[in-house]
Amino acid sequence: MTIQTPPDPTADEMAMHLPQAINRFLREADPQHKANAHDLLAAFAPDAVVIDNEKTYTGHDEIHHWREAESTKYTYTAMATHVEKFDDGHYVVTNRLEGDFPGGVVDVIYRIKLADGLITRLEIAP
């Protein structure tokens, strides 16, 4: 009798087991989801830092304005393609974005640092 090796979990399946704050950010950042600023900010510590396109946004007000501006630029779909946990406070999630932005397809890497169950740092890199 042969014992079947289970398939490797998909990135989407692994993403379901991420900490609540990361799942909340990914859900609220998904363009297919009607974003809610309150829910998005609930994923971040009050003094959290987001680094995107070489610009830094600190605190809930700046993060809210960043997300509002980013969410209206393009129409696209997002799908998790890679999830990696380094320890309880450090994660990397890669999302494939396909849409009407220049180039049409890009893999976006989210480097996430957590403390006390909230995102304290999010670095976004293409």
Side-chain angles (χ1 to χ4, degrees):
M1 179 165 120
T2 304
I3 298 174
Q4 297 291 327
T5 304
D8 290 334
T10 65
D12 279 336
E13 290 169 341
M14 291 179 66
M16 291 186 319
H17 301 288
L18 287 167
Q20 182 179 9
I22 297 174
N23 274 326
R24 178 173 279 164
F25 164 72
L26 293 173
R27 181 182 66 244
E28 297 304 321
D30 185 333
Q32 305 306 313
H33 178 79
K34 182 137 175 95
N36 176 313
H38 174 73
D39 286 346
L40 173 72
L41 294 175
F44 290 89
D47 59 348
V49 172
V50 172
I51 301 169
D52 184 23
N53 291 322
E54 300 180 11
K55 294 181 183 166
T56 301
Y57 307 90
T58 303
H60 281 184
D61 286 343
E62 289 185 15
I63 291 170
H64 173 75
H65 291 297
W66 158 75
R67 192 64 215 141
E68 288 290 313
E70 289 298 311
S71 67
T72 59
K73 282 185 181 178
Y74 304 106
T75 303
Y76 58 91
T77 60
M79 180 180 78
T81 58
H82 179 78
V83 175
E84 192 168 353
K85 176 182 178 180
F86 293 96
D87 57 41
D88 287 340
H90 296 88
Y91 295 80
V92 172
V93 177
T94 303
N95 266 4
R96 169 145 306 160
L97 308 182
E98 295 184 21
D100 61 1
F101 50 84
V105 177
V106 66
D107 288 329
V108 177
I109 301 167
Y110 299 119
R111 290 182 184 90
I112 303 164
K113 182 177 179 185
L114 295 177
D116 299 323
L118 296 174
I119 298 171
T120 58
R121 185 176 181 90
L122 169 63
E123 294 180 41
I124 302 170

